[in-house]
């Protein structure tokens, strides 16, 4: 049965307009994006199949062009639309975080870092460089690795902090497994970076690990 034949209060688009986007499942939200299904499947059925095939929203957002376009009902036009939506979301969050004091808005900082790093299938180490009022100067993804880890070089972090004239930094990296528990390697590299940056009077405020849920703050754990 086509979605247009469903009862009005069960259709994803109408439910979004009356109850808000948070009331919808991942599949229903994706169905609105897809707009139409394929022969024998509604847009919601197709969305469920795609999420199962790609491993949920994380897999969908991180899928490359070739992998994405293999899905039924998808193609270059849909891939371009999805990339545009993702980039608009990142820019919206970036514009918002540039206006706040990250210490007084920790949840906004978490949301921003998760939006930037969550979907990567490999590990990425990033820095938020801050001024002396703890406002964001720049976000930089400095190191990329495999799913097993990333090599982080303190010299490069120090060089970037000097070039940007940062007064403080917040580190973040993702765990592609989704498990946001800090490893001993995470704790050690945080300490090395803190010691290196202290030589140029740059403070390390936190190190967020992005995974499922809220992620983990090393500062909250007393590890900074």
């Amino acid at each position: 049965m086509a979605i247009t034949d469903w009862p009005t209060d069960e259709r994803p688009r109408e439910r979004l307009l009356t109850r808000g986007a948070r009331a919808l499942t991942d599949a229903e939200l994706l169905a609105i994006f897809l707009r139409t299904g394929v022969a024998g499947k509604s847009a919601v059925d197709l969305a469920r199949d795609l999420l199962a095939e790609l491993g949920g929203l994380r897999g969908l957002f991180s899928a490359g062009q070739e992998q994405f376009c293999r899905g039924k009902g998808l193609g270059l036009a849909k891939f371009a639309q999805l990339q545009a939506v993702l980039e608009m979301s990142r820019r919206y969050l970036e514009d918002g975080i540039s206006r706040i004091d990250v210490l007084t808005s920790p949840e906004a900082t978490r949301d921003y870092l998760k939006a930037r790093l969550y979907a990567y299938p490999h590990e990425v180490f990033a820095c938020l460089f801050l001024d002396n009022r703890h406002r964001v100067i720049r976000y930089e993804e400095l190191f990329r690795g495999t799913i097993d880890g990333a090599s982080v070089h303190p010299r490069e972090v120090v060089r970037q902090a000097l070039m940007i004239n940062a007064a403080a930094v917040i580190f973040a990296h993702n765990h592609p497994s989704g498990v946001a528990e800090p490893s001993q390697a995470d704790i050690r590299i945080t300490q090395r970076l803190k010691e290196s940056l202290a030589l140029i009077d740059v403070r390390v405020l936190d190190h967020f690990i992005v995974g499922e849920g809220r992620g983990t703050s090393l500062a909250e754990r007393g590890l900074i």
Side-chain angles (χ1 to χ4, degrees), residues 102-103 109-110 113 117 123-128 130 143 150 152 157 169-175 180-194 197 203-211 214-224:
V102 298
L103 291 187
T109 306
R110 283 180 188 267
L113 292 171
L117 297 172
E123 196 163 315
V124 176
F125 185 93
C127 295
L128 279 178
L130 314 173
F143 308 106
V152 177
V157 178
V169 297
I170 292 175
F171 303 128
H173 78 282
N174 62 315
H175 281 181
E181 281 299 306
S183 67
Q184 287 302 310
D186 296 335
I187 297 169
R188 285 195 298 270
I189 191 58
T190 304
Q191 188 59 37
R192 286 179 58 203
L193 290 167
K194 183 178 178 180
L197 289 164
R203 300 182 305 282
V204 175
L205 303 183
D206 207 342
H207 185 168
F208 284 110
I209 299 174
V210 173
R214 295 180 69 247
T216 299
S217 158
L218 268 63
E220 289 179 357
R221 293 280 186 94
L223 298 173
I224 295 289

Side-chain angles (χ1 to χ4, degrees), residues 49-60 62-63 67-68 74:
D49 290 349
L50 286 170
L51 292 173
E53 180 182 343
L54 294 174
L57 290 178
R58 179 201 290 266
L60 175 71
S62 63
Q67 182 185 18
F68 181 90
L74 302 180

Side-chain angles (χ1 to χ4, degrees), residues 43-194:
V44 173
D45 294 329
L46 179 59
R48 290 193 187 107
D49 290 349
L50 286 170
L51 292 173
E53 180 182 343
L54 294 174
L57 290 178
R58 179 201 290 266
L60 175 71
F61 293 161
S62 63
Q65 178 178 306
E66 182 178 349
Q67 182 185 18
F68 181 90
C69 292
R70 284 201 298 263
K72 290 182 180 179
L74 302 180
L76 290 176
K78 290 292 186 190
F79 180 76
Q81 289 172 18
L82 180 62
Q83 297 309 305
V85 168
L86 291 174
E87 185 58 28
M88 284 191 293
S89 299
R90 293 188 189 104
R91 293 185 187 188
Y92 168 77
L93 289 169
E94 193 164 301
D95 181 65
I97 202 170
S98 68
R99 303 169 188 269
I100 66 171
D101 177 334
V102 298
L103 291 187
T104 59
S105 303
E107 289 305 317
T109 306
R110 283 180 188 267
D111 291 345
Y112 174 74
L113 292 171
K114 183 166 184 175
R116 295 303 301 246
L117 297 172
Y118 177 76
Y120 283 126
H122 51 271
E123 196 163 315
V124 176
F125 185 93
C127 295
L128 279 178
F129 293 101
L130 314 173
D131 65 16
N132 57 12
R133 295 176 61 185
H134 300 145
R135 295 175 303 186
V136 176
I137 302 172
R138 189 180 303 176
Y139 167 87
E140 292 280 351
E141 294 177 1
L142 295 179
F143 308 106
R144 295 170 180 253
T146 65
I147 198 169
D148 298 315
S151 297
V152 177
H153 306 289
R155 180 184 301 176
E156 178 62 19
V157 178
V158 169
R159 187 182 75 83
Q160 287 288 330
L162 285 170
M163 183 175 67
I164 295 169
N165 195 29
V169 297
I170 292 175
F171 303 128
H173 78 282
N174 62 315
H175 281 181
S177 67
V179 179
E181 281 299 306
S183 67
Q184 287 302 310
D186 296 335
I187 297 169
R188 285 195 298 270
I189 191 58
T190 304
Q191 188 59 37
R192 286 179 58 203
L193 290 167
K194 183 178 178 180

